[in-house]
Amino acid sequence: MVQQSSQRNTPHDKGYLAENILHFARTLRKAGISLPPTRVLEAIEAIQFSGLTRRDDIYDTFRCLFITSRDQQEIFDQCFHIFWRNPEFLERAMSLLLPTTFLENAPQDEKDKALKRVSQAFAPEQKNQPPKEKEDEELEVEFDARLTSSDEKVLRHKDFEQMSAEEQQKALELIKRLQLPAELITTRRFSPSVQKQRIDTRKTMQASMKRGADIIELKYKAKKVQRAPLVILCDISGSMSEYSRMLLHFIHSLSSARDRIHSFTFGTELHNITRQMKYKDVDEALAAVGQQIDDWSGGTRISSAIHDFNQHWSRRVLGQRANVLLITDGLERDGAYDLALEMDRLHKSCRKLIWLNPLLRYDAFQAKARGIKLMLPHVDEFRSAHNINSLEGLIESLQNTRRPAQ
């Protein structure tokens, strides 16, 4: 049990204080907030300077050190108020004493979804269970073995939105295993080659001048082969908040495995996060992205974002027949520009345009939204992106993308 501050524990008792901060950090980790050990040590040192006289100072100190993105705000608030005994959250805290089976159904409201993860973090572990008979123990072991063998298969088909914090961590491990195929394309440029296909006149004349033109040694060249570029446009608006975190981990996994990948995010504005996605540590990369982006979980302006990309980035990153992944639900909020026109221009500028839409997880999905109707005619593939299985299908699609050089 966590040692809470009381009359016998004065605010200057550093032993209990450090222990409480350590337990609080562990609770945040269980709720899905990644915290390196150095942040916990910094919090212990910082709280000695800020003091314990005001609750707001303690809250602001922990908030500055433990939160790296806006989607963690609600989880942090509820963990803080429950852990440090806020009377307003006493009624909700009592629900944590219930078994975790009562929390399987995901609530609809965003705060309730965060509360579910917080509840799982505070839920007591089942220890000191009474011993069972030998027959019951053998039956339980046999049942657990079958569950373990199919756990990964079930997780691959489970929706990201319905995953608990523990399941999300397991899903992230599966995402790290996904490898993007190294699709090779033949370009118009040439490079030296040992194969006698085409004579390189310039190299041949340069070599002959060095030998005094007595002996002419033929040099050859061939068309250069390189990886096809990949451009990713990811929606981080409020309607995509349950999927954007997992998909950003997927983008980081792809960016770490190979080069020539350009990543962008958009909500109300377009942001280039290619440099941040090159960080080796995924937590460091997402923290850098969170510092750059100021429209996380906000509105959606798809037409404005694609217009900005076409005007300022298209010629820079789509010049070598790149493939484009557009990750969004297509729920346009503000049609400042002609969405159909911008999509048509994007489609003509790239080699292949693939739209990933989490809404396709519904069997009865119909393209009734105005934004979806305008975007669909200008994509080559329309796929879902709501679980691990859908991401694996995307990789297979990219692996089979092979067109002859133009």
Side-chain angles (χ1 to χ4, degrees), residues 378-400:
H378 306 285
V379 298
D380 296 309
E381 289 189 19
F382 190 38
R383 310 180 65 91
S384 178
H386 66 286
N387 55 17
I388 300 294
N389 189 39
S390 61
L391 297 181
E392 292 176 344
L394 168 65
I395 290 181
E396 294 180 0
S397 175
L398 293 175
Q399 189 173 7
N400 296 329

Side-chain angles (χ1 to χ4, degrees), residues 22-40 79 117 121 165 169:
L22 179 61
H23 282 288
F24 180 55
R26 291 175 179 174
T27 302
L28 293 177
R29 290 193 185 103
K30 292 181 180 180
I33 299 179
S34 177
L35 290 178
T38 55
R39 291 292 180 89
V40 182
C79 282
R117 296 172 60 181
Q169 292 299 326

Side-chain angles (χ1 to χ4, degrees), residues 22 25 44-45 86 153 170 174 191 195 218 235 276 285 334 346 367 380:
L22 179 61
I44 297 175
E45 295 178 358
N86 188 337
K153 182 178 180 181
K170 294 180 180 179
L174 295 178
S191 61
Q195 299 179 358
L218 297 179
D235 187 351
Q276 289 78 4
D334 183 14
L346 176 63
D380 296 309

Side-chain angles (χ1 to χ4, degrees), residues 33 78 133 168-169 197-198 233 239 284 286 318 335 365 397 400:
I33 299 179
Q78 296 193 25
E133 297 181 0
Q168 286 184 357
Q169 292 299 326
Q197 295 181 354
R198 186 165 182 171
L233 302 173
S239 57
E284 183 181 358
L286 295 183
L318 298 181
F365 171 81
S397 175
N400 296 329

